[in-house]
Amino acid sequence: MDADSDVALDILITNVVCVFRTRCHLNLRKIALEGANVIYKRDVGKVLMKLRKPRITATIWSSGKIICTGATSEEEAKFGARRLARSLQKLGFQVIFTDFKVVNVLAVCNMPFEIRLPEFTKNNRPHASYEPELHPAVCYRIKSLRATLQIFSTGSITVTGPNVKAVATAVEQVYPFVFESRKEIL
Amino acid sequence: MTGRVCRGCGGTDIELDAARGDAVCTGCGSVLEDNIIVSEVQFVENSGGGSSAVGQFVSLDGAGKTPTLGGGFHVNLGKESRAQTLQNGRRQIHHLGNQLQLNQHCLDTAFNFFKMAVSKHLTRGRKMAHVIAACLYLVCRTEGTPHMLLDLSDLLQVNVYVLGKTFLLLARELCINAPAIDPCLYIPRFAHLLEFGDKNHEVSMTALRLLQRMKRDWMHTGRRPSGLCGAALLVAARMHDFRRTVKEVISVVKVCESTLRKSVCFRLTEFEDTPTSQLTVDEFMKVDLEEECDPPSYTAGQRKLRMKQLEQVLSKQLEEVEGEISSYQDAIEIELENSRPKAKGALASLTKDGSVEDTTSSLFGEEDAEDEELEAAASHLNKDFYQELLGGGLPGSAEAAGGPEGGGGPPALESLLGPLPTAASLGISDSIRECISSQSRDPKDASGDGELDLSGIDDLEIDRYILNEAEARVKAELWMRENAEYLREQREKEARIAKERELGIYKEHKPKKSCKRREPIQASTAGEAIEKMLEQKKISSKINYSVLRGLDSKGGAGPRREHARPQETAGARRLSRRKAPASTSGADPVAGVRKRLRPMVSTQPAKKVAVGEQALLPSPPSLEAEPVRPTSAVVVESGPVSYHPEEDADEEDPDEEDGEPCVSALQMMGGNDYGCDGDDDDGY
């Protein structure tokens, strides 16, 4: 089987998590009172603000650090983060948009074949770990990319990594191994 | 010990008296060492006249009492802690292992794993019980015993996933490959529990065969082995006319009902496809055997054919659909061409380059849907891309940007198609126009200078998010009502703290400071080392320093102060983290003092410092006898040492971590030959 052929696999990015700082102290109470799309969690000390346009949810801390989740691409994440900062500006805080960083990207990919997990685990001993009692998928970690892949027997693969490129590289790296242990329909 | 130089006169003639345990300089008469420890075997005379060696057997594990040579100081404290941990672990392993009926060999292996874990500090921050359970389960896996992680979690009453996490970590850190679980292992165990009586063996065999078929068809990947086992047993029982309900099987196998049903139904449907279902039980057994001999089985072959047919049908359908899509695409483009002039007007204001416009219009063609409103919304979304294009400057780069942007466009649009209608319904088209027109501003690099890049941000919509006064009040009211519980608790807490403050018993609950490993003290002389150690260490509040200082002034300063040190450290049985790792080099004079103190302090190893202080006062008189020689011997420093009363020594902190054997005092003191070689370095 030609495992090196360029298979056009659709890697669908489902979530991009990013963080940025506003370099100014934020009064959570004020945000909570004047924002229409916010949830104030006082016990933990944060405010959740949800935006519609890029559909994202942001966790805002009073120190000015903001975590933004739910975007579907890196550009969208940045766009959403900027909108968020803009809305905070409108509320009256002296916001400076700094230290924007994409922290985590979650993507899903579907293989056109099913996979034999015990065989795959045996062939990829140090990287792959499979505990059927705990979780039905094999957890494959690539240390160099800092990426983790969850490989299910149906052929669906969930990848998480620090950025989109790492995610794509991870899928490319693991494809030949997965191809070896596929379930032949013949 | 030969070739040493006397500190007083510089002479090399040093006499060692083994009987008294002294090292004396024959030149000036100064005693260089006292109470030398020798490693010789002592013999004792028996009643029968023979002699036997004096000593104790010490076990390899470190289990059993380690002898405290005159007051367990840091050496023995350190050993004890680690030994205690291992001892404790061994006990727990045996306790759990016996409940699981593991043999001695397994328990020993588990203990070895545990020792490895402790040496790699994997027990830190984890409940001992979890680590023990993980070690035991690891053994079960490597030996292949039919124990499930669920059993262990039942015994411990702990969530199985928590145990699983610990187990995975342990296996990874110890680089142990736990072989995969074979569901066949569980069958005898479950069959026994289901009580099939005489036919136990036959039912087990049937179930085994079923499992093997499952394995051949690779149905068993991704499923709990216990679930598969349960399904196989259920079917096997039915086949032998045993009425075992699903509930009974579940209680034995510990899976959810739906899981079991799924496994069973799947198998049954598969059987339906084959003529096997037409056979009786006996024939099934025979046929099963035959099929086992013949790998490319009938079922598989049929399935293969069916899959091929399905694929062909699918591909045909796909082609048709694709054809339709392309025709729709053409129709859309034609429509857009007609309706474009309106959009072009808005765009014309911002696009300066004709070629840029072309690329943008091509973008449009790819991405826009039929609806005009959607188109407007899409253009609003694509402002981002314009940004990129404009920022590029050159048409070439703009085109390049347009390409990948176009590719990235569709997913973005798709995901946003959900919220798009709402955006459109908000009537943002005006605001979009406004935003588009205001894009003549140069886009700044947002991350460069920290200023907020406002391009592409719809201010009006954001304004809508901000509530006005009345709404804010309503919202505040709502929130108050929702979180009334929490607010009430906060108020009560405040009241309680205020009351305690008045009473003066309020205790600040400081967050625990993380352990800071301090550098071993680098000092050229012993005196310097002691000074540094004192600076690092914090002095106890339970010691009356004025008394100490008074004693110091008498001249018995060195030993007295040193009394305080070792007394505290010996007394403080809890390993305070704030003990300085008084280095091997620096603490040796102190060690020397300690050796002297051993006979006295042996009686008070575990007492608190407060008691130690009282002991201090009676002890000095006893020391009067031998202060002269030792004082001069200990070239510490002149008079009372420069220790700062503000510093706190290691005191019994109530919020000290209890019995956490994480850092042994030995490690904190910075050496593992502490106290043993104290002799040698005195005169360096």
Side-chain angles (χ1 to χ4, degrees), chain B residues 534-645:
Chain B
L534 289 172
E535 279 169 49
Q536 281 192 0
K537 270 172 94 162
K538 302 188 185 151
I539 297 186
S540 160
S541 62
K542 298 184 178 148
I543 296 179
N544 189 349
Y545 289 111
S546 48
V547 176
L548 275 183
R549 250 172 268 135
L551 293 172
D552 283 351
S553 61
K554 255 199 233 167
R560 289 305 165 351
R561 192 206 20 86
E562 250 101 65
H563 286 186
R565 289 283 136 258
Q567 282 284 28
E568 294 167 32
T569 52
R573 180 66 185 86
R574 313 237 185 119
L575 312 175
S576 162
R577 287 200 160 156
R578 283 185 262 123
K579 268 194 222 151
S583 70
T584 42
S585 57
D588 289 324
V590 190
V593 176
R594 287 201 186 124
K595 284 205 291 283
R596 244 172 287 124
L597 290 176
R598 244 172 245 129
M600 306 172 327
V601 187
S602 58
T603 52
Q604 319 143 346
K607 290 210 185 125
K608 291 199 175 177
V609 179
V611 178
E613 206 233 350
Q614 279 136 24
L616 263 181
L617 296 173
S619 62
S622 69
L623 267 194
E624 288 306 329
E626 37 162 310
V628 183
R629 257 189 342 177
T631 345
S632 53
V634 179
V635 181
V636 179
E637 60 281 293
S638 53
V641 191
S642 59
Y643 66 82
H644 315 286

Side-chain angles (χ1 to χ4, degrees), chain B residues 223-240:
Chain B
R223 285 173 204 258
R224 280 233 174 100
S226 44
L228 286 170
C229 208
L233 272 173
L234 187 67
V235 176
R238 293 271 170 86
M239 278 166 44
H240 288 271

Side-chain angles (χ1 to χ4, degrees), chain A residues 53 55 72 76, chain B residues 409-420:
Chain A
K53 192 68 73 62
R55 197 175 269 283
T72 53
E76 203 182 292
Chain B
L413 189 62
E414 273 168 50
S415 61
L416 297 169
L417 265 173
L420 264 181

